[in-house]
Every structure is written in structure tokens, then in C-alpha cells.
Amino acid sequence: MILNNLLSLRADIQKTCASCGRNPSSVKVVLVTKTLEVDVIREAYGHAMTVFGENKVQELLRKIDRMPSDCEWHLIGHLQSNKVKYVYDKVAMIHSLDSFRLAQEIDKFARRLNRKIKCLMQVNVANEDTKFGVSTEDVFPLVSKILDLKGIDLAGFMAIAPLTSDEGIIRSCFRQLRVIRDTCLVHYPHFSFSELSMGMSNDYKVAIEEGATLLRIGSLIFGERVYT
Ligand SMILES: *Cc1c(COP(=O)(O)O)cnc(C)c1O
């Protein structure tokens, strides 16, 4: 079942890219493996999937050690500053940078590694009370402060669309994120902000049409999650 789902996802990504004139190789899938056991993740790995996303630090750490070392792990959930020390040298990207305090902490550990840590700024585009992320009016001042931190590679932005079946609302959220990115490109032409992490199982096609480069997909591949 996982293989079939992966194949049909790949076909849909290609079809959507063709319809909006994008190169399918510019859209990468981060398989969201939260709540899944390692044997299930290994099955996906067996089908050449190596980029995985987790939203909790403890769960991420438990799985990293039990999966092959050529896997790439992305932290996609809220990160508390005091937990940076557990993940900074293990993750390929942090999608949930949402405060200057967190940025400073990541920067501190990146300097220890003597390299930059790739981060995306999570933006609460719909300004929902229930969501983490930087509010739209705080984005630009925060970007400018973070670009001064030598340990952070601010590679782009991440957003979660509201839970709604209204495609117009979803599209406008994704579009807003892209506009934020494009505005940053104008202000900071020496940076590329190339990544837009947006689109999940239910809205990834709209996300591709609006410029997503990283899709975070779980249930479409693995089935509905069971929370225990
Ligand atoms: C769970 C989760 C996803 C994946 O959601 P699906 O609807 O299962 O594809 C994507 N992004 C984040 C931040 C998540 O927590």
C-alpha cells in the first residue's frame, strides 16, 4: 500500500507541475512519520524515500538512531529553545523557527559545529490563535535580525494552511507565504530564500501551484494516524 501511494503521489506531483509549468524536480517530499513505528518508516525507506519529518524532539531522537544513517530528518513541529541542544547536530532542517530567542539558541549551537544550520521561518499566515509561527506583521523585522546570525541559514519559509475545505482560503495562505518570500528577495538580494515548505496531504496540489518546494506529507502515504 505504501508503494502504491508513493507512486500515485509522484504521478500527481508530475501532473500538477506540468499543468502549472514547474519542473517536478523542484518539488521535494518530506514524509511525515510522526506516530509511526520504525518498521513502517523502513518500508518507505525501502522504496528509496530518505527525507523524513517529525514534529516532536523525543520521537525524532528515538527514530533517528534506529534508521539508516543516510536518512535526512526535518524537524517540522514547534521547538522549545531548551531542546535545541538535543537536535542541532542531527537534523537537516528546522521548519519551525518562530522566535528570535530560538534563533539565538540555534545560532549558539551552530557556532559550535562551525557551520550554519538550515532553518525556515514558520509564518502564521492566517493569524490563527491555535497555531505557532510568526505573525505576518512581525516577519520582516525578525528576518532582518536573523540574517545577522552567522550560524543560521535562513533558507525560506514554512506555513500550515487552516483546516478548511475552502480552496480559496488555502490558496491565499500559500500565496501570502510566497509574497513574503518574494518581498524578502527584493530587500535582501544576496540571500535566496529558495524553500517554501507548504502543502500537506489535503492541499499539496494547491501548494505546488503556489510555488511549494517542500511538501510535508503523512496520511496520504501511510493512512490516517492513530494517536495513542
Ligand atoms: C502532521 C503534519 C503534517 C502532515 O500532515 P498530513 O495531513 O498527514 O499529510 C505536515 N506538517 C506538519 C507541521 C505536521 O505536524
Side-chain angles (χ1 to χ4, degrees), residues 41-76:
I41 310 175
R42 285 215 188 94
E43 190 181 336
Y45 178 80
H47 301 309
M49 302 303 289
T50 54
V51 183
F52 301 109
E54 287 282 337
N55 65 339
K56 293 196 175 119
V57 168
Q58 290 309 323
E59 194 174 342
L60 174 78
L61 295 175
R62 184 155 43 79
K63 289 171 180 176
I64 286 181
D65 284 342
R66 297 172 60 206
M67 287 292 292
S69 59
D70 61 335
C71 293
E72 185 181 309
W73 295 88
H74 292 217
L75 188 69
I76 61 172

Side-chain angles (χ1 to χ4, degrees), residues 108-133:
K108 183 175 93 188
F109 284 99
R111 284 159 190 267
R112 271 184 213 182
L113 289 178
N114 214 3
R115 66 169 173 85
K116 289 172 182 279
I117 294 175
K118 216 176 250 243
C119 296
L120 307 178
M121 184 180 291
Q122 180 175 353
V123 183
N124 186 357
V125 268
N127 287 317
E128 293 172 279
D129 293 341
T130 52
K131 285 217 174 89
F132 288 108

Side-chain angles (χ1 to χ4, degrees), residues 68-127:
S69 59
D70 61 335
C71 293
E72 185 181 309
W73 295 88
H74 292 217
L75 188 69
I76 61 172
H78 180 64
L79 176 60
Q80 289 172 281
S81 304
N82 62 3
K83 292 192 175 168
V84 172
K85 58 177 176 282
Y86 302 122
V87 296
Y88 73 99
D89 56 347
K90 299 189 171 67
V91 294
M93 199 186 288
I94 296 170
H95 292 225
S96 44
L97 179 54
D98 59 3
S99 73
F100 190 60
R101 176 149 175 256
L102 176 60
Q104 285 177 305
E105 194 67 10
I106 295 171
D107 179 60
K108 183 175 93 188
F109 284 99
R111 284 159 190 267
R112 271 184 213 182
L113 289 178
N114 214 3
R115 66 169 173 85
K116 289 172 182 279
I117 294 175
K118 216 176 250 243
C119 296
L120 307 178
M121 184 180 291
Q122 180 175 353
V123 183
N124 186 357
V125 268
N127 287 317

